[in-house]
Amino acid sequence: MLAAALRAGAFVFAAYATGRVLSRRARAGDERRIEQLRRECGTDMLTGLLNRRGGQEKAETMLAMCRRCEKPMAVLMADIDHFKEYNDAHGHLAGDAVLRHVANVILARVNTADTLVRYGGDEFVMLLTGLKNVDELRRVLDELASRLHFPLAEFGEDVTVHCSIGVALYKSGAELD
């Protein structure tokens, strides 16, 4: 309800409802604040990535584009294996460091046209467009699998992080060999 009110310009409406007349400059300031709130609501504070809400909006936009252009889109979900146990054993600060590290590792692989989302606590979603064939998708998966299996020596722990990756492929009239 709040999001709908903000999209409708609730700040500007509230000012008019009280009988105050806003200048064009004041309305522009309200619009900037509304846009800033939208960005903040769609961003994960720990990693700086899109959060689930922002990711859903971006996914809808990307899927519509893929439908229009008849291009495939791959959705990959990475989940850090046994993250809760690591977090409980080593503390939330160490867990946060692992989440940021995993986000950076995946982000290094994501192209500018693609999107990375922190979907949940230890889950990340990659929205990939422009894949030419299934072999290219396999290469991406292999690369991510090797990068997402790393020791935590830099965090002072002799522990290795593993991630599981699942994939779904959308093909709208596109042929992906």
Side-chain angles (χ1 to χ4, degrees):
M1 189 162 167
L2 176 61
L6 288 175
R7 279 194 295 275
F11 291 125
V12 174
F13 175 75
Y16 284 114
T18 61
R20 228 174 80 211
V21 177
L22 293 177
S23 68
R24 177 173 283 150
R25 183 174 169 200
R27 285 192 309 264
D30 287 343
E31 290 167 6
R32 281 192 300 275
R33 285 191 293 275
I34 291 168
E35 186 56 36
Q36 180 182 357
L37 282 172
R38 280 191 192 129
R39 278 193 307 276
E40 289 174 2
C41 289
T43 303
D44 174 55
M45 298 301 287
L46 179 66
T47 62
L49 301 174
L50 291 175
N51 64 17
R52 185 180 206 155
R53 180 184 181 279
Q56 182 174 348
E57 291 175 5
K58 181 69 173 181
E60 290 169 3
T61 301
M62 289 176 73
L63 186 58
M65 185 272 307
C66 287
R67 283 183 180 144
R68 272 193 313 275
C69 299
E70 294 188 350
K71 292 187 174 190
M73 182 169 108
V75 179
L76 287 68
M77 179 173 263
D79 181 81
I80 302 172
D81 298 336
H82 312 292
F83 180 74
K84 182 181 179 339
E85 289 85 356
Y86 178 83
N87 211 26
D88 290 346
H90 302 287
H92 291 284
L93 292 178
D96 288 352
V98 168
L99 290 169
R100 282 191 296 273
H101 187 76
V102 168
N104 288 331
V105 166
I106 299 172
L107 199 53
R109 172 51 188 90
V110 175
N111 296 322
T112 55
D114 300 329
T115 299
L116 179 59
V117 177
R118 180 169 176 212
Y119 190 75
D122 63 332
E123 300 163 332
F124 296 87
V125 171
M126 292 151 279
L127 305 169
L128 308 177
T129 59
L131 296 171
K132 293 172 183 56
N133 55 46
V134 174
D135 289 335
E136 188 176 353
L137 178 58
R138 283 189 190 109
R139 280 192 296 278
V140 169
L141 286 169
D142 289 343
E143 181 183 342
L144 284 171
S146 67
R147 287 183 177 190
L148 293 176
H149 175 91
F150 57 90
L152 291 176
E154 67 257 31
F155 303 121
E157 301 294 333
D158 188 24
V159 175
T160 301
V161 170
H162 301 268
C163 291
S164 299
I165 304 172
V167 64
L169 185 60
Y170 171 77
K171 301 183 335 182
S172 172
E175 289 303 318
L176 194 64
D177 302 326

